């Protein structure tokens, strides 16, 4: 029986591993067969709300930390003042004892010694008070900076929500004019939004304004020179202007950023005019080159 168990154990383990591999392969096939995204605008809204709550929690934690720092600074001030007071008191007792001895010896009067001790004590206390006033001023400046930072974060969160809402409206807009108007609103909130510029370029290109699309794509590339989508839209605009060499150069730049655009070349209506252009044929996938 022991020998049979030893022989059958590896077989069972091998069978389980085969079943696991088959299950994994089935899940991979199911993922590759998806034709729609697994997310929705509601999920994006939920993620934005979670991000907002996280930032608010971070701001509250930062305020609590600043409050603890202030409390520690105040505690340090109290200890410093107490230490200074005790030091002055002991110093005064020491001077008083020494002055008594001096008076007994007849070197000077008690009034002179008292005035000197008081003057020295005032200078010492004034110096300590000045130092701690400077420290409190620094803490106050830090608190003001943190308050301004928290206010700015709140404004950024509100702006992000507005932009997300405008992107959802742009996806549901029926006419190109409405899309362009929505993209202009996004650019008003975020003047350096490359995505809004490139999508606006796509919309104006569909309206038959290729030169306008070229200008928009060039603005996007000034902001982000590595934006592959801007190069792709610029290639489509140059194709509409019959500037085929410039179009192919822009397509090459887009491919240098990501290879995902190569599969779109053959089917994109905006690039149909390049099908007989040899440099463009060289950029097509190998299967399209054979045709």
């Amino acid at each position: 029986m022991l020998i049979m168990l030893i022989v059958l154990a590896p077989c069972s383990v091998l069978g389980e591993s085969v079943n696991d591999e088959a299950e994994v392969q089935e899940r991979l096939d199911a993922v590759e067969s998806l034709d729609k995204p697994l997310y929705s605008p509601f999920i994006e809204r939920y993620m934005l709300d979670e991000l907002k709550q996280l930032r608010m929690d971070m701001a509250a934690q930062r305020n609590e930390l600043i409050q603890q720092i202030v409390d520690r600074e105040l505690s340090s001030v109290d200890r410093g003042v107490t230490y200074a007071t005790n030091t002055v008191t002991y110093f005064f007792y020491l001077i008083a004892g020494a002055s008594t001895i001096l008076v007994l010896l007849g070197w000077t009067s008690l009034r002179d010694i008292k005035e000197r001790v008081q003057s020295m004590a005032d200078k010492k206390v004034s110096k300590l008070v000045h130092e701690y006033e400077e420290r409190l001023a620094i803490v106050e400046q830090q608190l003001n900076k943190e308050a301004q930072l928290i206010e700015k974060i709140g404004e950024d969160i509100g702006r992000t929500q507005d932009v997300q809402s405008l992107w959802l409206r742009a996806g549901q807009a029926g006419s190109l004019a409405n899309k362009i108007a929505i993209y202009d609103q996004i650019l008003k909130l975020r003047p350096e939004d490359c995505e809004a510029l490139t999508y606006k370029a796509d919309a104006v290109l569909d309206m038959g304004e290729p030169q306008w699309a070229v200008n928009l794509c060039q603005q996007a590339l000034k902001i982000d020179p590595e934006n592959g989508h801007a190069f792709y839209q610029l290639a489509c605009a140059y194709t509409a202007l019959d500037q085929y060499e410039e179009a192919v150069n822009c397509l090459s730049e887009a491919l240098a950023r990501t290879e995902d655009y190569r599969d779109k070349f053959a089917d994109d209506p905006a690039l149909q005019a390049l099908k007989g252009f040899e440099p463009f044929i060289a950029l097509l996938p190998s299967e399209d080159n054979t045709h």
Side-chain angles (χ1 to χ4, degrees), residues 77 125-140:
V77 171
V125 172
S126 299
K127 183 179 180 181
L128 290 173
V129 171
H130 180 69
E131 290 179 357
Y132 284 106
E133 284 180 351
E134 291 180 350
R135 292 186 182 182
L136 290 175
I138 293 173
V139 172
E140 184 178 1

Side-chain angles (χ1 to χ4, degrees), residues 145-196:
K145 290 180 180 179
E146 294 296 335
Q148 293 176 359
L149 179 61
I150 292 171
E151 184 178 357
K152 183 179 179 181
I153 291 174
E155 293 177 355
D156 291 340
I157 292 173
R159 189 181 299 109
T160 301
Q161 291 179 344
D162 294 339
V163 171
Q164 181 65 22
S165 177
L166 290 171
W167 276 112
L168 293 175
R169 286 175 54 193
Q172 298 173 357
S175 64
L176 295 175
N178 290 336
K179 287 186 177 181
I180 292 174
I182 294 173
Y183 294 146
D184 288 336
Q185 294 180 21
I186 295 174
L187 291 172
K188 186 179 294 184
L189 294 174
R190 290 183 177 174
E192 296 186 355
D193 194 328
C194 293
E195 293 298 323

Side-chain angles (χ1 to χ4, degrees), residues 3-260:
I3 294 173
M4 292 180 64
L5 289 174
I6 294 173
V7 172
L8 292 176
C11 296
S12 63
V13 173
L14 181 60
E16 291 178 358
S17 62
V18 171
N19 292 333
D20 292 339
E21 292 179 357
E23 185 178 355
V24 171
Q25 186 62 36
E26 289 179 0
R27 292 181 180 178
L28 291 175
D29 294 339
V31 171
E32 292 178 355
S33 62
L34 291 176
D35 55 353
K36 293 182 179 180
L38 294 175
Y39 59 87
S40 66
F42 300 102
I43 296 176
E44 296 179 2
R45 180 67 183 185
Y46 172 77
M47 293 177 67
L48 283 174
D49 292 339
E50 287 296 319
L51 178 60
K52 178 181 179 181
Q53 186 62 37
L54 179 60
R55 289 183 174 178
M56 291 174 65
D57 293 341
M58 291 178 64
Q61 186 177 8
R62 186 182 293 107
N63 288 335
E64 183 179 358
L65 179 59
I66 293 171
Q67 185 63 39
Q68 292 179 1
I69 293 173
V70 172
D71 293 339
R72 290 181 180 178
E73 289 290 339
L74 293 176
S75 178
S76 299
V77 171
D78 292 338
R79 289 197 299 270
V81 172
T82 302
Y83 173 76
T85 304
N86 294 334
T87 302
V88 171
T89 301
Y90 296 147
F91 183 74
F92 177 77
Y93 289 155
L94 179 61
I95 297 299
S99 63
T100 302
I101 295 173
L102 292 175
V103 169
L104 293 176
L105 295 175
W107 288 356
T108 184
S109 65
L110 183 61
R111 180 178 297 177
D112 294 337
I113 295 175
K114 182 179 179 181
E115 290 177 354
R116 291 181 183 179
V117 171
Q118 186 176 2
S119 176
M120 293 175 63
D122 290 340
K123 290 180 180 180
K124 185 68 175 180
V125 172
S126 299
K127 183 179 180 181
L128 290 173
V129 171
H130 180 69
E131 290 179 357
Y132 284 106
E133 284 180 351
E134 291 180 350
R135 292 186 182 182
L136 290 175
I138 293 173
V139 172
E140 184 178 1
Q141 291 178 359
Q142 292 178 351
L143 289 175
N144 291 333
K145 290 180 180 179
E146 294 296 335
Q148 293 176 359
L149 179 61
I150 292 171
E151 184 178 357
K152 183 179 179 181
I153 291 174
E155 293 177 355
D156 291 340
I157 292 173
R159 189 181 299 109
T160 301
Q161 291 179 344
D162 294 339
V163 171
Q164 181 65 22
S165 177
L166 290 171
W167 276 112
L168 293 175
R169 286 175 54 193
Q172 298 173 357
S175 64
L176 295 175
N178 290 336
K179 287 186 177 181
I180 292 174
I182 294 173
Y183 294 146
D184 288 336
Q185 294 180 21
I186 295 174
L187 291 172
K188 186 179 294 184
L189 294 174
R190 290 183 177 174
E192 296 186 355
D193 194 328
C194 293
E195 293 298 323
L197 288 171
T198 53
Y199 276 93
K200 182 179 178 180
D202 189 16
V204 300
L205 186 61
D206 291 338
M207 293 178 64
E209 297 288 344
Q211 188 59 51
W212 189 5
V214 169
N215 295 334
L216 291 172
C217 292
Q218 289 176 347
Q219 292 178 23
L221 290 174
K222 287 181 180 179
I223 299 171
D224 183 10
E226 299 298 324
N227 194 304
H229 189 205
F231 278 113
Y232 186 82
Q233 292 298 331
L234 187 58
C236 295
Y238 278 136
T239 302
L241 293 172
D242 297 332
Q243 299 180 17
Y244 296 154
E245 291 184 1
E246 295 292 337
V248 171
N249 291 334
C250 291
L251 290 177
S252 299
E253 293 291 340
L255 287 176
R257 274 70 183 175
T258 175
E259 286 287 333
D260 296 339

